[in-house]
Amino acid sequence: MVLHSDLFCVNMAASMASQAVARGLRGASAKHLFLENFKCPRVSSRRWLNLQEYQSKMLMQESGVTVQRFYVADNAPDALQAARKLNAKEIVLKAQILAGGRGKGTFDSGLKGGVHLTKDPSVVGELANKMLGYSLTTKQTPKDGVKVKTVMVAEALDINRETYFAILMDRACNGPVMVGSPQGGMDIEEVAEKTPELIFKEVIDIFEGVQDDQALRMAANLGFKGPLERQAADQIKRLYDLFLKVDATQVEVNPFGETPEGQVVCFDAKINFDDNAEFRQKSVFAMDDMSESDPTETEAAKWDLKYIGLDGNIACFVNGAGLAMATCDIIDLHGGKPANFLDLGGGVKERQVYEAFKLLTADPKPSPSPNPRAKGGATCPLLQLFRDETDGDTDPPLWGRSETGLTLNLGTGICISYRELETRQICGRNVNY
């Protein structure tokens, strides 16, 4: 795997879809230009909050946003009862996991598809019985899939027309913007590339909020007509209220559609949150489901460490995201393969260093070389702390070289880089960068 620094340029203000819009519109006319000066900030030291679909819908309901009627169940009898309670013409049963492509996924129970439509409520119990407790595998899950613990039983609504709508933080505008397209329910990246004139943007004054004329103009651009235009504008304003209420960095609705009965509904939504607002969003962050997260990444997040597992066999331990990315790049450049991206960040404490080493030495991928070429012992006091705590008994072994900082030969399994070091020994040779 070729690892480049830009792989870790993580955008906290937009989902992959919204980033795609930005990429696709860079070549568009100024009239329709979206996020013209879009730039990615560096990796955040906090783990992103992930919510299940039903949790996002609950937040929208609380803000008066129109969504399908739904219930959540963690066992088949409750799912059956929920289906009967809905008393709907058609019911949709959705497995709840933090991955896309559920409709085309497969369960290890033999059931195909994590999303099922039925007009018979009694079937819901049977389907739920083949979902709950079983692993669902999609294109976005690990190869062994993700175990389904809850299902959402919802009213299935017909959709006359689908549009796309999002509110997100735009660095170029120094605040929130509304982005919409009458072409919804599909890959927004494709819309941005092929028909950028169908992407519309409204900059929101953070002090004034969404004005009536802005909401109506966006509703009209999305193609809503007559009474539906006013209804869509009202939903847009409610979505902005939600955006502020939960300290979101993005609220993305796709599709934002209309039904044959003349109702504007948010059929599916993704909400990204500002992790720095956790102190005042306790109830929202309490919903975080970490059971599907990588255990090592979850443990790293407890100590405010930035960790991303990779598939190589050389562990990296670095202070500074930029240096960490450069270290991964240069490892690959000289024939090595990084096993992880790990950045301690500024102001690191001794305990964080100790916990970081524990994470790395617990990883079975890094392995010592039979011919380690680094010479001498490390003089870094933070490394000495780990040696003291472990009595020097580490596997893979630690090797270091430097006076003000240190690096470890890649052959030893762990590579440590500190900013002060100008020369690093990579695969047995000195490399300046």
Side-chain angles (χ1 to χ4, degrees):
M1 179 191 70
V2 176
L3 181 69
H4 296 290
S5 300
D6 57 1
L7 292 179
F8 291 101
C9 191
V10 179
N11 174 24
M12 294 298 292
S15 71
M16 293 302 292
S18 294
Q19 291 181 54
V21 175
R23 291 196 301 271
L25 294 184
R26 280 201 173 94
S29 64
K31 178 180 178 182
H32 301 290
L33 195 61
F34 168 50
L35 301 184
E36 180 178 9
N37 297 316
F38 185 87
K39 295 179 180 179
C40 290
R42 291 299 184 189
V43 178
S44 167
S45 62
R46 301 303 304 276
R47 176 184 171 276
W48 286 13
L49 170 64
N50 289 309
L51 295 186
Q52 301 284 3
E53 178 186 0
Y54 76 89
Q55 294 172 319
S56 295
K57 278 185 162 60
M58 286 173 58
L59 291 176
M60 289 193 291
Q61 269 188 334
E62 292 171 2
S63 292
V65 177
T66 303
V67 298
Q68 302 153 279
R69 293 184 296 126
F70 70 93
Y71 294 98
V72 180
D74 58 10
N75 59 72
D78 284 353
L80 175 60
Q81 183 180 356
R84 290 171 174 166
K85 193 173 180 179
L86 279 172
N87 192 29
K89 293 181 181 179
E90 191 169 24
I91 298 164
V92 59
L93 180 67
K94 291 186 174 185
Q96 297 297 284
I97 63 171
L98 298 172
R102 290 172 293 174
K104 297 181 179 180
T106 57
F107 286 88
D108 55 5
S109 65
L111 181 67
K112 296 185 181 298
V115 178
H116 286 264
L117 286 167
T118 180
K119 294 182 179 180
D120 183 2
S122 62
V123 175
V124 172
E126 299 174 14
L127 290 171
N129 201 42
K130 296 178 181 179
M131 290 184 178
L132 293 164
Y134 292 98
S135 293
L136 173 60
T137 303
T138 76
K139 290 183 178 180
Q140 296 185 16
T141 65
K143 62 179 181 179
D144 295 328
V146 174
K147 183 172 290 187
V148 175
K149 299 179 180 179
T150 56
V151 294
M152 184 178 75
V153 186
E155 177 184 21
L157 297 175
D158 292 329
I159 307 177
N160 261 3
R161 199 173 60 84
E162 299 179 333
T163 73
Y164 172 92
F165 178 75
I167 303 171
L168 63 149
M169 298 301 292
D170 181 2
R171 283 177 171 259
C173 299
N174 294 317
V177 297
M178 294 187 292
V179 179
S181 173
Q183 299 295 314
M186 59 185 293
D187 187 351
I188 196 64
E189 181 174 19
E190 184 178 340
V191 176
E193 290 179 353
K194 295 183 178 180
T195 54
E197 68 276 6
L198 294 181
I199 302 288
F200 299 91
K201 169 183 168 183
E202 289 280 346
V203 178
I204 303 172
D205 187 313
I206 193 67
F207 297 106
E208 300 296 332
V210 177
Q211 301 300 295
D212 288 342
D213 63 324
Q214 286 185 301
L216 286 168
R217 186 162 54 246
M218 178 60 75
N221 286 334
L222 295 182
F224 292 102
K225 302 182 184 302
L228 288 177
E229 183 179 322
R230 173 63 66 177
Q231 191 182 148
D234 178 66
Q235 290 294 299
I236 286 171
K237 295 187 73 171
R238 290 175 185 269
L239 284 167
Y240 182 67
D241 290 340
L242 169 65
F243 181 85
L244 293 181
K245 179 182 176 182
V246 299
D247 285 303
T249 56
Q250 174 193 267
V251 174
E252 183 184 46
V253 183
N254 190 23
F256 182 53
E258 61 181 68
T259 69
E261 294 76 26
Q263 191 177 26
V264 178
V265 180
C266 297
F267 285 94
D268 202 356
K270 177 178 178 58
I271 305 176
N272 288 352
F273 301 86
D274 182 354
D275 289 337
N276 295 310
E278 181 179 359
F279 71 98
R280 64 185 181 196
Q281 298 291 344
K282 297 294 185 183
S283 60
V284 173
F285 279 78
M287 293 190 287
D288 192 7
D289 182 5
M290 295 186 289
S291 62
E292 296 181 29
S293 302
D294 181 273
T296 304
E297 293 182 17
T298 301
E299 181 64 24
K302 292 180 182 178
W303 301 99
D304 285 343
L305 301 171
K306 290 163 284 191
Y307 179 94
I308 300 174
L310 302 173
D311 56 4
N313 63 348
I314 299 168
C316 300
F317 181 96
V318 191
N319 70 326
L323 181 58
M325 289 184 272
T327 300
C328 290
D329 278 345
I330 205 165
I331 287 173
D332 184 84
L333 180 65
H334 289 273
K337 295 294 180 183
N340 67 277
F341 169 96
L342 176 61
D343 168 33
L344 281 78
V348 62
K349 305 298 182 183
E350 290 182 352
R351 185 67 190 183
Q352 290 173 287
V353 174
Y354 176 68
E355 295 297 334
F357 267 113
K358 284 177 63 179
L359 291 174
L360 294 187
T361 54
D363 188 345
K365 293 194 298 295
S367 58
S369 163
N371 297 303
R373 300 188 185 180
K375 298 179 179 179
T379 60
C380 173
L382 293 180
L383 178 58
Q384 191 60 46
L385 167 74
F386 185 72
R387 287 187 178 279
D388 293 342
E389 293 285 345
T390 60
D391 293 325
D393 183 16
T394 63
D395 185 18
L398 304 178
W399 295 78
R401 61 174 297 277
S402 134
E403 294 179 357
T404 58
L406 59 94
T407 186
L408 281 95
N409 180 282
L410 300 190
T412 64
I414 297 181
C415 175
I416 306 180
S417 298
Y418 279 80
R419 290 184 190 279
E420 296 83 356
L421 198 62
E422 295 180 354
T423 301
R424 289 164 177 83
Q425 193 171 66
I426 306 297
C427 293
R429 70 188 72 175
N430 288 338
V431 177
N432 296 305
Y433 71 106

